[in-house]
């Protein structure tokens, strides 16, 4: 989401990025391919400093371009590392964090370096491991949050830490407010409340700092569906400048 309300959506099945402006929809991308104006299964987008970043998963790269899709450049070529960028986040310094669903890691790309900052590369449930990580979020103080999807938990990694700490979910899939089921994305508000989308429970919960349980705030019927108070495999989250929460309702 941009400050003027434009909504950008990664559309991997159509190998494009969709731009929603009120009732008008346009798209960025010239079909499936590896040229700079093409994508191969893009999975996530991020707006930072007026530029659009795209996790071009199939081409193992992150592209940066104008918000209209002009002047695309490769800001992270991850082919040599065999990393498929799945979800991405750009921090306040312009550093890029990408999760790799297949390698069970989060990679940090700076202007001069690339390094693994979470996960060992092997799936597992120890503090230094991840299992199918999805969404990532970095706070203003540089703390990394990871939706550790198949471990049914949210992990927090301090800058430079060799291991993460468990901040939401029990690690066992369930529908109680102390549990998560296949969490897919995470955002923080200004008060550092955690907002977590859960594919398995088809809901969004909010967790206060230091709490051991959340509060359901979106789709709290306990049933997935197409009604206005239901979701079906929700994936991504974003706030607009007014504080409204947007949810990508993947299954619908």
């Amino acid at each position: 989401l941009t400050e003027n309300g434009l909504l950008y959506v990664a559309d991997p099945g159509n190998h494009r990025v969709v731009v929603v402006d009120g009732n008008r929809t346009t798209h960025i991308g010239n079909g499936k391919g590896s040229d700079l104006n093409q994508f191969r299964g893009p999975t996530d987008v991020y707006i930072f400093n007026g530029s659009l970043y795209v996790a071009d998963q199939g081409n193992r790269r992150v592209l940066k371009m104008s918000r209209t899709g002009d002047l695309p450049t490769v800001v992270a070529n991850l082919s040599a590392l065999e990393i498929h960028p799945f979800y991405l986040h750009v921090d306040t310094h312009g550093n890029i964090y990408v999760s790799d669903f297949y390698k069970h890691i989060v990679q940090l790309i700076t202007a001069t370096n690339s390094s693994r900052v979470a996960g060992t590369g092997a799936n597992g449930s120890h503090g230094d491991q991840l299992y199918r990580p999805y969404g990532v979020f970095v706070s203003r103080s540089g703390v990394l949050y990871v939706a550790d999807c198949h471990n049914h938990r949210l992990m927090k990694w301090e800058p430079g830490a060799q291991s993460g700490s468990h901040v939401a979910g029990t690690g066992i899939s369930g529908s109680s407010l102390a549990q998560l089921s296949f969490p897919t994305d995470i955002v923080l508000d200004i008060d550092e409340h955690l907002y977590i989308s859960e594919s398995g429970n088809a809901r969004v919960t909010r967790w206060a700092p230091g709490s051991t349980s959340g509060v359901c705030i979106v789709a709290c019927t306990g049933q997935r569906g197409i009604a206005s108070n239901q979701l079906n495999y929700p994936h991504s989250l974003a706030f607009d400048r007014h504080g409204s929460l947007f949810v990508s309702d993947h299954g619908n």
Side-chain angles (χ1 to χ4, degrees):
L1 280 158
T2 65
E3 68 280 352
N4 59 354
L6 291 178
L7 177 65
Y8 289 78
V9 184
D11 184 7
N14 288 314
H15 311 286
R16 65 185 183 179
V17 173
V18 175
V19 186
V20 182
D21 182 6
N23 294 322
R24 189 170 72 97
T25 300
T26 57
H27 73 268
I28 295 169
N30 190 27
K32 182 180 181 180
S34 57
D35 291 342
L36 286 177
N37 65 345
Q38 294 179 308
F39 304 113
R40 193 180 298 272
T43 48
D44 199 15
V45 293
Y46 198 89
I47 298 289
F48 176 73
N49 272 1
S51 295
L52 171 66
Y53 292 74
V54 182
D56 188 13
Q57 181 184 204
N59 285 318
R60 295 183 178 181
R61 65 188 183 183
V62 177
L63 292 171
K64 177 184 177 182
M65 61 197 70
S66 75
R67 292 189 294 193
T68 57
D70 298 322
L71 305 175
T73 60
V74 177
V75 289
N77 187 340
L78 302 169
S79 296
L81 298 173
E82 296 186 350
I83 289 176
H84 292 80
F86 194 57
Y87 273 65
L88 65 83
H89 184 100
V90 183
D91 70 12
T92 55
H93 304 290
N95 301 315
I96 302 168
Y97 293 75
V98 297
S99 63
D100 188 327
F101 177 85
Y102 303 101
K103 285 186 173 294
H104 317 289
I105 62 171
V106 176
Q107 192 82 4
L108 167 63
I109 301 104
T110 69
T112 59
N113 192 28
S114 174
S115 60
R116 184 189 304 169
V117 291
T120 64
N123 72 71
S125 58
H126 294 300
D128 61 346
Q129 293 177 307
L130 299 168
Y131 188 17
R132 305 296 191 199
Y134 268 63
V136 292
F137 187 95
V138 182
S139 72
R140 292 181 179 273
S141 57
V143 177
L144 169 67
Y145 294 84
V146 184
D148 192 8
C149 184
H150 284 218
N151 278 326
H152 313 291
R153 65 185 185 180
L154 187 80
M155 296 295 288
K156 172 182 175 181
W157 298 67
E158 299 288 346
Q162 298 300 309
S163 185
S165 58
H166 190 165
V167 293
T170 64
I172 299 173
S173 177
S175 59
S176 79
L177 290 174
Q179 293 175 299
L180 301 173
S181 182
F182 297 100
T184 49
D185 204 12
I186 169 68
V187 292
L188 269 70
D189 65 15
I190 193 170
D191 298 314
E192 297 195 348
H193 287 82
L194 313 174
Y195 294 76
I196 305 170
S197 56
E198 299 178 53
S199 179
N201 284 322
R203 68 185 183 187
V204 178
T205 53
R206 180 180 62 219
W207 297 61
S211 65
T212 57
S213 63
V215 176
C216 185
I217 60 167
V218 177
C220 304
T221 66
Q223 300 289 328
R224 65 182 72 253
I226 62 172
S228 60
N229 63 346
Q230 293 177 310
L231 297 170
N232 189 15
Y233 299 105
H235 272 203
S236 300
L237 302 173
F239 281 110
D240 69 9
R241 64 190 180 93
H242 304 292
S244 296
L245 181 66
F246 287 70
V247 184
S248 67
D249 194 11
H250 180 76
N252 283 323

